[in-house]
Structure formats: structure tokens, C-alpha cells
Amino acid sequence: MAYAGDPWNGARFDAVFPGNGRHWSRPLRGPGDPKEVLPMTSTARHLAVISGGGAALGVALALIASGVVPRAVAAPPPAYELAPLPEDIDSITPLEAAARSVASCAAPCRGIVYAWTPRMPLSRSGIPNVVEAAGSLGVQVVLVSTEELLDYAAGHHPGAVGGIAFADEMLEVGALTHAPAIVVHSGSEIVGSAILGYKRAEAYESLLGARLAESGAVPSTALSSTRNLRSPSTSSLPTHAVRTGPAPQATIDRPAVGLPGAYFRWVPGTRKVAYESDRSIYLLDLDDGENSVAPGWIDFVPTPDGRYFVTPGPGNEGLTFFDARDVFSAAERNRSMAVEAIFTDMRMRDQYPSVGILARDQTGTRYRVLTSWFEGLLYRDYEVSVNAATGASSVRPIGEPVVPCDGYALSTPIMSQDGREVAARDERTGTTKIFAIEEEGRCTEVLDFGMGTSKVAWHASGQRVAFSTPRRGRGGAGGEGIFVFDRASGEVAAVPGSSGASRLAFPDFVGDDVVFLVPGDATGAGSFFRLVGGME
């Protein structure tokens, strides 16, 4: 039997019974329901898992070197968000069992380990896709809990006392950089760095096939659909020691609803942060700490001027635009679910949008929206104008969708606010890079961070970026937190008070300040957003 879900946040209990392979799923209502679950680990407010464990974790930071909050009312998640698990696949395999499975995989055996969390809806939705891809490649697949791996890394898992070699290797290759994350192994040896992000089955098959081919585990004739990847750049971030950021002018903590997902965004021109929790979107007011419900179910992303929101439509129906004035007005009246979209682009069906402004004049504003994780990257430009008489906005696509950076295998991309650059993880090198987007989607590599990071948050100027770093390995200390890189000076500054920041969520700028998520813990403390001022 396998357990997946967070009883503190209204998740579900998913079980596969080994005797008959039957799958059972039902809502959880609180601790002890259902009675069959095994004891909670120290991250009880995260995901309850089958086994627990730990010793202290340190982060290998090669780059930088040398109380209860009332829940706002939201509609229940639609049924399409909980795709059924494939047959004969446990939703969670304990780390120690996963390690034994990999250790018994003698060559020519090969397989993948998929780390996921119910905190991120697409992480759960990717399970059928990765299972399909693994079946096409003829490799075994094991699903493990990101939260259990976090427990192991942080020292709250019994297996960490003596160590689980395969779990240590997963940490080393960056399996906690994001969720979902895939670790590929040939025999019992890991091949390359972790592959990040939700993708369609055919995209997983291409990436996994290419990775297995690096070890000779898959004949090259079986990889006719795999793209040729470019050679890595030699440019990288400076490797001098990180400095501590300036003493913060002010630090503000504001409570969040439940346990938010990884992708939250400041709404420019306001004091609000948009975030997802339990498949609902919330707007947090940084001034008074109030949370209100917004439309959408995932990744409710504001434009750089705060005038509109874009979000993946339900049921994969396409990229959806909302007028921010309608959203805020409805939120004040507790009627966010009644807000109607002003435009939906059926040609843009991918996830995780980011937005830049290419130009603006008296006739309107030209936005560029980039999406990702299904078939590489994709962007499209839009002209948005406002009727002077009625105040109604009109959205018009400009040209066809464009596939930028063709020839690269990129994940977790975020576009700069001017729409001219993108920061993304290069799956070939396992490092975060910045690319300039040129005519017709051609890309020029501008900077290689030299290591894997979280998604990158862009300052409005484009000259500063913020990111977090993954936990790597057990033991040691230091290097954890949020960092800001100044592209002009080459300095990397640690954000004060960020050592407890979520490793699965990435930060954002609020003007010149930095905001990040601090997740709840086993003591009963709830999740909150921390705003640190004075980072300019």
C-alpha cells in the first residue's frame, strides 16, 4: 500500500494494494484518516510518506564558493486535475525500497526514479506521462516523494543516520531543484543530472532516450526523434565568494493559505502576491496580510505592468487572459469565480507562462508570453488595446506561435520583463543559463550560471536576478537560502533571513525588495511569505 497526500491541506489518500493491484483514492479530512496510514514524518504539514529518517544536510554551493489562518473559500478542484494512476504503479515508494530496487537493477537493466509532490498539481499529473514514456523505452519506473527526500536531506529521516547511498546520489544530481524531477539510472549508476519539470509523454521519451544513450543503454537507432543538442558555453557566473546582502530595511512575514506551490508572483503596481495552494489561486495583501480568492487553478501570472493576468485554462483549453481590474474588484466582493476571461488562445496550450512587454504606445501594449514544458519553449506576441469609451480590453495575437532556442533542451524557463531574454535550465549541462531571444526565435547564450538553480526571478531592470539553490548531499552546513545576482557588478548577495526558504519555490522581486516562501513545519507553524526590504 502506498500513501500520498497531506491531511492538513485536504489532499487525497491514494493506495495500490499489492495483492490485487486495485487502486483506491479518497479525500483526507485530517490526522488519522484513514486509520491505515503509517506514522507521519517531521514534515507532517507537507506530504505524509511511508518512511521517515535523517542527519543534517549541507548545500554544495559551487557557484558561490569557496496562528492558524482562516481559509478563504474556494471552489473544489475539478475532476480533471486528478488523473488516475496507471495500474501496478505505487503513488509513493519509500526511499529505502526505491534504493533497493535500483541496486537490484543489474546491467543491462535501466530505469528512472520520478520524485513528485501533491503540492504542485502538474507534478501529480505528470505521472501517467512519465510511465508511458518509460514503457515506450522499455525501462522500469519508481515514484518517490519529494517531501520524503526533503526530510532525508534535512535530517528527519531514520535512513539518513546510516545513509541511503542512492538518496545521497539523488541529492547530488539536483533532484530537489524542482518538482517533479527525474533521475535516470543505467544499472545502479545514475546517468547525468536530474531532469526537471512536467512534460508530455513524447517529450519525456525524447529527453530520457537521449540521457540513456549517453551511457549506451539505448541503441542510437532507437532515438531518431531525439534532437541534437548544442555544445555547452564556457561563460559562467563569477566564482568569488558570496557576500551577505545589506541589512534589511524591514522584514515582513505574512501568512499563506495551506502549503503554497512553487510558482508565486508579485503583481506590479500593487502590494499583492498571487499564489496557488490546493489547486486554488489566492491574492495575498502584503500590507494587511489578508488572502482573497482569484480565478484559475494554477500559475496565475501578472503582466509586468500589473494590468492583466495570464494563466493556463482548465482542461488544457489554452492560454487565458484576465483583466486585473475585474479580478481585484471581484476578489473584494468574494465573487472571483464569476470573473470571465477576456481572451483564450487555443494555440498556446502549454504551462508555466511568463510575460514580457515588447513595446507600448497610445494605441496599446505589445506583450510576449512564453510557455514551457510540453514541447520545449513556445512564445507568442499579443497586441492589447483598451476601448476609450467602454474601458474594455481587446487582445489580438500577432503572428504565429514561435519555438525559440531550437536545438536546446530547456526546462523551467522564465522570460525577462522586456521579453528579450530568458533564463532556463539546460538539461544537457544541468546548469541555469540566460539566453538572448533574437529574430525568429534564435537564441544566443549570454551567461551560464555554472550550476543548477531554481527558476530565476527577474528584476524589472533586467540587471538583477534572484534564485534559490537545491539541497545537495547530507552533512555539512551553509549555502542555503535565496541569492541575488547583479549582472553589472558580478556580485552575488545572500538575502538575509532566507535560510528557511522553501527549496521547491523560487523567489520574486517586489520592486527592489525580495519575497520568498517559508513552508510550514511539524511544530504546527503555518506557511508564510517573507518580504525582505533594502536589497537594491
Side-chain angles (χ1 to χ4, degrees), residues 443-457:
C443 288
T444 299
E445 185 178 314
V446 175
L447 180 71
D448 186 337
F449 284 35
M451 67 174 297
T453 72
S454 70
K455 288 184 180 182
V456 165

Side-chain angles (χ1 to χ4, degrees), residues 61 64 242-245 264 454-455 457 465-469 479-485 492-509 514-518 530 532 535:
L61 200 56
I64 346 189
V242 62
R243 69 176 177 86
T244 302
F264 58 87
S454 70
K455 288 184 180 182
V465 294
F467 57 89
S468 65
T469 55
E480 295 130 353
I482 306 296
F483 303 91
V484 175
F485 171 59
V492 180
V495 177
S498 65
S499 61
S502 169
R503 294 298 173 269
L504 296 181
F506 65 112
D508 198 15
F509 288 99
V514 174
V515 64
F516 53 88
L517 174 67
V518 179
R530 172 166 291 169
V532 178
M535 288 302 299

